[in-house]
Amino acid sequence: MTTTVAGTAYDRLLSLYREGTLLGSTAEILSWDQETMMPSGGVEYRSRQMAQLARLSHEQITDPRLGDALSEAEAEGHPEDSAEHAQIREIRRDHEKATKLPAELVEAFAKLSSVSQHVWAEARQKSDFAAFKPHLEQLVKLSRDKADCLGIPEGGERWDALADTYEPGMRASEVAAVFEPLRDRLSDLIKELTASSTKPSNAFNEATIDIDAQASFVKEIANAVGFDFDRGRLDRSVHPFCGGSHCNDVRLTTRFQPTEFNDALGSTMHEAGHGLYEQGLPFSMVGLPLGDAVSLGIHESQSRMWENQVGRSEAFWKWCTPLAQQAIGTPLAHLDFEDFYGGANIVRPGFIRVEADEATYNLHIMIRFQLERAIIGGDLAVADIPGEWNRHYKEYLGLDVPEDRVGCLQDVHWSMGAMGYFPTYTLGNLYCAQFFDTAREQIPGLEDGFSRGEFAPLLGWLRENIHQHGRRYSASELCERVTGKPLSAEPLLNYLEAKLRPLYGI
Ligand code: ZN
């Protein structure tokens, strides 16, 4: 590592950048508070507080002084493989992204998306696509303008410019190349499973369990997998999420229902996976790119790993079954290991993405990706979305969508103008399966350890190979460094087929 002398352009750059991210991390705590603790009366003033912080941190990242320090730091000639070089490259990226968008466009987008979210929420409730359509048309138009300002990568398309915000460097053509083989083999697998006369028992999901008992149990599990409660919390919210301000203050939330205990446990494992990533980012790099997560796809690979590869595995349930029975008592006493493990792995095609199982989930994402790529590319009119949506659901999942409320109006993303976001969920599943295959090769007895409640070897491996690097490597570089191969659909498909077929007697 190059040593830096106080007063170099690089040092100045880091301190200017840190001023902006300090405000941003403060906004994160306000946003967590809004979702968990704030009384509803606080909404109006809170939105002004948030807008002010957003404005100030935008000012700081676009500050011409930061631009000057960037150019000077670049001229200092830090070696290409150094941490400094990566830090400067990523700050350049953030600075350019923020400066490329004209203030009027940012403001117009913010206003439109805030109104559109209200219109969408009402339209969804009434299943009235026509009411949402003019707003979505405007959002598509502004999104195209936004893509043009951000710049379409050479040989790419408008969608790429939008997706780059969530998954730096991701191209629609690359996503399609990975998604297509996945879609075909996944559709076949789902048909095979649904046609089978053997099905796992649903008794675990039907059991009614006291919510306080659920809450203390999921907290115990989060602790057991390595989430550090001295540097984090677990609270409740309507939609589970992982927030907080930095690696030493990570805020998870989860949700509970009287039944569907595995939903609470799975959500907790999922958010804990995000939280373990955040807690694994180096504090020495706090507020800097090398102390920040690579991309949404890589973040999701961490949450899915703990939720699925660990939390829905046979080995995990060997360990967890007696613990759950002991902690919960009577409601689970009549069940056996097969009920828990099978109940955690039921595959059932449905209309709603957020309720989908591990296998069908990715088909929901592919449908959204294909549609938004066509909309942004100008090949699909907004008016034709419901028809195309329903046609795809019939083709991929064998379902007849009865109304738009459970069809194309179900997700908030497009109403916020977040086009290019959806694929990060499936990319997360793909990265996850590929990372996990490598972890299994490199850690002898990895899964046997899970059956004894030993999760530290996996966490240590993730810390060393992924967490500690922050944004030093791009998602695709990281994938190649860790697994030795570019991203592929094979590991996920092999994993799903190997696990699910036996559970369905195939
Ligand atoms: Zn997630």
Side-chain angles (χ1 to χ4, degrees):
M1 224 159 105
T2 321
T3 48
T4 48
V5 183
T8 62
Y10 179 73
D11 288 337
R12 236 175 332 115
L13 175 65
L14 297 197
S15 82
L16 284 167
Y17 184 85
R18 270 183 159 141
E19 281 176 29
T21 51
L22 190 61
L23 279 178
S25 65
T26 311
E28 289 294 323
I29 293 298
L30 288 186
S31 141
W32 171 85
D33 173 74
Q34 187 168 338
E35 299 296 321
T36 52
M37 300 288 163
M38 190 186 77
S40 59
V43 168
E44 199 200 323
Y45 200 69
R46 176 58 50 89
S47 71
R48 284 158 65 184
Q49 294 170 323
M50 297 289 283
Q52 177 76 341
L53 284 174
R55 195 178 61 74
L56 290 172
S57 53
H58 184 261
E59 258 174 41
Q60 278 171 328
I61 186 75
T62 55
D63 188 339
R65 286 182 307 150
L66 188 133
D68 294 343
L70 247 179
S71 307
E72 288 167 39
E74 281 162 347
E76 285 172 344
H78 299 278
E80 218 168 290
D81 58 354
S82 66
E84 288 81 358
H85 188 271
Q87 201 93 274
I88 294 167
R89 178 197 69 217
E90 293 300 304
I91 296 177
R92 164 67 67 197
R93 182 189 139 81
D94 294 351
H95 177 68
E96 288 198 344
K97 265 208 141 30
T99 45
K100 272 178 181 168
L101 293 178
E104 311 83 73
L105 180 61
V106 174
E107 208 185 315
F109 208 94
K111 275 189 187 150
L112 178 62
S113 77
S114 132
V115 174
S116 299
Q117 280 175 67
H118 286 289
V119 174
W120 162 78
E122 206 162 294
R124 178 171 77 160
Q125 207 181 12
K126 295 180 183 154
S127 204
D128 180 4
F129 183 76
F132 179 50
K133 181 177 154 275
H135 290 84
L136 186 54
E137 279 167 344
Q138 284 182 60
L139 280 166
V140 169
K141 193 196 162 295
L142 281 190
S143 296
R144 288 208 191 117
D145 294 346
K146 195 172 157 186
D148 291 338
C149 292
L150 291 170
I152 300 163
E154 214 183 302
E157 55 191 76
R158 279 204 178 93
W159 185 90
D160 301 346
L162 300 173
D164 184 77
T165 305
Y166 312 112
E167 196 67 19
M170 178 172 67
R171 301 282 187 100
S173 55
E174 290 164 9
V175 173
V178 186
F179 276 21
E180 268 156 34
L182 177 62
R183 180 191 62 207
D184 298 339
R185 238 170 94 186
L186 209 45
S187 285
D188 291 345
L189 174 65
I190 291 161
K191 279 181 200 134
E192 231 184 299
L193 300 177
T194 44
S196 169
S197 54
T198 308
K199 303 240 186 314
S201 144
N202 197 37
F204 173 35
N205 303 310
E206 287 161 0
T208 301
I209 300 168
D210 173 68
I211 285 175
D212 288 335
Q214 292 189 39
S216 73
F217 187 71
V218 301
K219 190 173 176 189
E220 218 177 282
I221 299 298
N223 186 51
V225 299
F227 185 76
D228 180 355
F229 281 93
D230 290 331
R231 300 192 294 135
R233 297 181 52 88
L234 174 62
D235 295 275
R236 299 180 195 185
S237 67
V238 181
H239 302 290
F241 66 94
C242 169
S245 74
H246 71 293
C247 60
N248 291 338
D249 180 3
V250 179
R251 314 282 178 100
L252 313 179
T253 71
T254 193
R255 64 173 170 207
F256 302 98
Q257 298 160 254
T259 61
E260 305 289 335
F261 180 36
N262 201 54
D263 178 68
L265 184 59
S267 300
T268 307
M269 290 284 276
H270 181 98
E271 301 310 332
H274 282 303
L276 289 168
Y277 186 12
E278 290 291 325
Q279 288 186 337
L281 294 166
F283 182 69
S284 60
M285 294 288 173
V286 69
L288 297 173
L290 296 201
D292 192 12
V294 181
S295 69
L296 292 185
I298 296 295
H299 227 306
E300 197 69 4
S301 77
Q302 302 303 291
S303 58
R304 300 283 175 162
M305 190 171 295
W306 293 97
E307 177 190 1
N308 295 331
Q309 256 81 358
V310 178
R312 292 182 207 278
S313 70
E314 202 174 349
F316 175 85
W317 281 105
K318 278 183 188 156
W319 168 73
C320 197
T321 296
L323 291 183
Q325 286 181 314
Q326 199 176 20
I328 306 293
T330 313
L332 298 178
H334 62 294
L335 304 180
D336 57 23
F337 163 77
E338 272 76 26
D339 295 314
F340 287 94
Y341 173 50
N345 283 291
I346 290 175
V347 173
R348 198 184 295 129
F351 299 112
I352 306 296
R353 175 184 62 86
V354 296
E355 294 169 4
D357 56 78
E358 216 182 337
T360 58
Y361 189 88
N362 300 295
L363 294 177
H364 291 267
I365 297 304
M366 283 176 215
I367 294 169
R368 287 154 177 77
F369 165 63
Q370 282 175 285
L371 294 188
E372 67 181 16
R373 187 185 187 191
I375 298 163
I376 294 298
D379 302 320
L380 177 66
V382 167
D384 297 329
I385 291 175
E388 277 301 281
W389 183 284
N390 299 349
R391 192 175 68 75
H392 280 87
Y393 266 77
K394 181 73 182 173
E395 190 186 328
Y396 294 175
L397 289 156
L399 297 172
D400 292 301
V401 178
E403 51 180 354
D404 294 337
R405 186 206 324 252
V406 296
C408 66
L409 286 175
Q410 66 181 272
D411 299 301
V412 70
H413 303 60
W414 289 344
S415 78
M416 297 163 65
M419 300 261 176
Y421 190 113
F422 282 122
T424 66
Y425 294 120
T426 287
L427 288 174
N429 286 328
L430 296 167
Y431 282 126
C432 165
Q434 196 161 324
F435 288 149
F436 193 77
D437 268 3
T438 306
R440 196 167 21 202
E441 277 162 31
Q442 295 180 358
I443 309 169
L446 176 67
E447 282 155 301
D448 284 346
F450 296 166
S451 64
R452 295 186 299 270
E454 293 164 11
F455 304 103
L458 179 62
L459 182 57
W461 187 89
L462 294 170
R463 291 263 190 269
E464 187 188 330
N465 287 287
I466 297 168
H467 303 174
Q468 64 154 330
H469 299 303
R471 283 164 63 184
R472 179 147 185 183
Y473 309 106
S474 72
S476 53
E477 276 170 348
L478 189 69
C479 180
E480 292 240 23
R481 270 182 68 94
V482 175
T483 72
K485 292 178 212 116
L487 184 65
S488 126
E490 280 293 304
L492 180 63
L493 284 163
N494 294 341
Y495 154 75
L496 288 173
E497 288 170 353
K499 179 169 76 166
L500 296 172
R501 280 184 176 144
L503 279 165
Y504 278 78
I506 301 167

